[in-house]
Amino acid sequence: MTTEDDWPEGIPHRLYGRRRGKKLRPRQERLLEQALPRIRFEGLDFAAGAEALWLEVGFGGGEHTLAQMRANPRTAIIASEVYEQGICSLLTEIIPEGQEATAPPPPLLRLWPADARELLLALPEASLDRLFLMFPDPWPKSRHAKRRFVHPEMLPIVARALKPGGIWRVASDDPTYQDWVREVFAEQSLFAPHAFHEARPEGWPPTRYEAKALEAGRQPLYWEWRRA
């Protein structure tokens, strides 16, 4: 597995912020200690026979991942998140209380509780049909631009893992990040425009971050890019 010391030149050692918020409750600790190891992604065997393989980078509270899983029961999904409270939110929905040590995970869902770049670099070439990046941390200060997941140095890494014709969905409510997405994708040839929406289209489940943006009066934008 690739580690931070092996990143290609130009890739920062860290894109995400904190891993943990408030002190975990006993149920959350059990989920991380007992349930997470059974659902942690360890290889593509779990996806054998699936119609497609999707990856969500930074699933937050898990609403989008769970909605996609339920709407697409024959699709294998890897969901990546480092924030422990977010991981617990998703696990709470799929692991019954009291069965943290025994309940089987959904057969076509696996979690990656580490840097998604490690996973992208380790996956076989052209293994993903779709990648989701929903409302990522915008890192709005100019000096932090290198920490944005949408980055010129990241595009080849994503492109390597996506199949030709595979789709990368990006959603953001931050004006700085929206301008950055336009700028980065305008100066590359790995991805072609597939669709652009100013309102969330059908098939894009809502998230808590989108709800907060709309409540605050911010305008989310939604892109789909196709792997050339």
Side-chain angles (χ1 to χ4, degrees):
M1 180 65 68
T2 301
T3 66
E4 290 183 351
D5 293 334
D6 302 317
W7 293 150
E9 184 177 356
I11 296 293
H13 277 201
R14 184 171 176 175
L15 298 185
Y16 51 85
R18 58 183 180 166
R19 283 183 174 270
R20 176 177 290 192
K22 298 179 181 178
K23 179 178 172 58
L24 295 174
R25 299 187 296 274
R27 156 84 160 151
Q28 292 175 314
E29 291 179 349
R30 292 195 302 274
L31 287 168
L32 293 180
E33 293 172 3
Q34 300 174 11
L36 180 58
R38 296 197 309 284
I39 196 172
R40 183 185 175 108
F41 175 78
E42 299 291 352
L44 291 178
D45 290 349
F46 87 103
E51 292 182 346
L53 177 63
W54 296 352
L55 168 64
E56 178 162 6
V57 174
F59 63 74
E63 304 95 347
H64 180 270
T65 294
L66 292 169
Q68 292 287 14
M69 179 188 74
R70 291 160 180 162
N72 302 277
R74 301 184 69 179
T75 294
I77 300 176
I78 308 170
S80 176
E81 178 59 61
V82 300
Y83 188 52
E84 290 184 343
Q85 272 78 1
I87 296 170
C88 289
S89 292
L90 190 153
L91 289 173
T92 296
E93 294 297 319
I94 60 176
I95 302 295
E97 187 162 7
Q99 299 181 37
E100 292 83 3
T102 58
L108 292 180
L109 175 66
R110 292 295 182 269
L111 305 189
W112 179 254
D115 195 315
R117 298 170 302 171
E118 296 179 20
L119 178 60
L120 284 166
L121 288 165
L123 284 171
E125 185 174 347
S127 56
L128 295 175
D129 296 275
R130 188 173 293 183
L131 185 142
F132 302 97
L133 182 70
M134 310 301 293
F135 301 93
D137 190 327
W139 294 106
K141 295 181 180 179
S142 296
R143 69 177 185 272
H144 291 151
K146 63 183 180 180
R147 291 191 170 191
R148 297 168 187 160
F149 190 89
V150 172
H151 190 279
E153 299 291 346
M154 279 300 302
L155 265 59
I157 295 174
V158 174
R160 188 198 70 84
L162 273 174
K163 295 177 181 178
I167 297 296
W168 183 1
R169 287 185 175 181
V170 180
S172 177
D173 64 289
D174 182 85
T176 299
Y177 206 88
Q178 293 168 350
D179 290 341
W180 177 258
V181 169
R182 296 186 184 99
E183 176 183 339
V184 169
F185 278 96
E187 299 177 356
Q188 55 80 46
S189 59
L190 295 169
F191 297 89
H194 183 69
F196 171 72
H197 313 274
E198 293 186 348
R200 178 167 50 81
E202 184 178 355
W204 291 58
T207 75
R208 66 182 68 183
Y209 300 105
E210 179 193 55
K212 289 180 180 179
L214 294 172
E215 185 177 353
R218 296 188 298 274
Q219 173 64 59
L221 298 178
Y222 310 82
W223 288 270
E224 293 183 85
W225 302 91
R226 178 177 51 80
R227 174 69 170 97

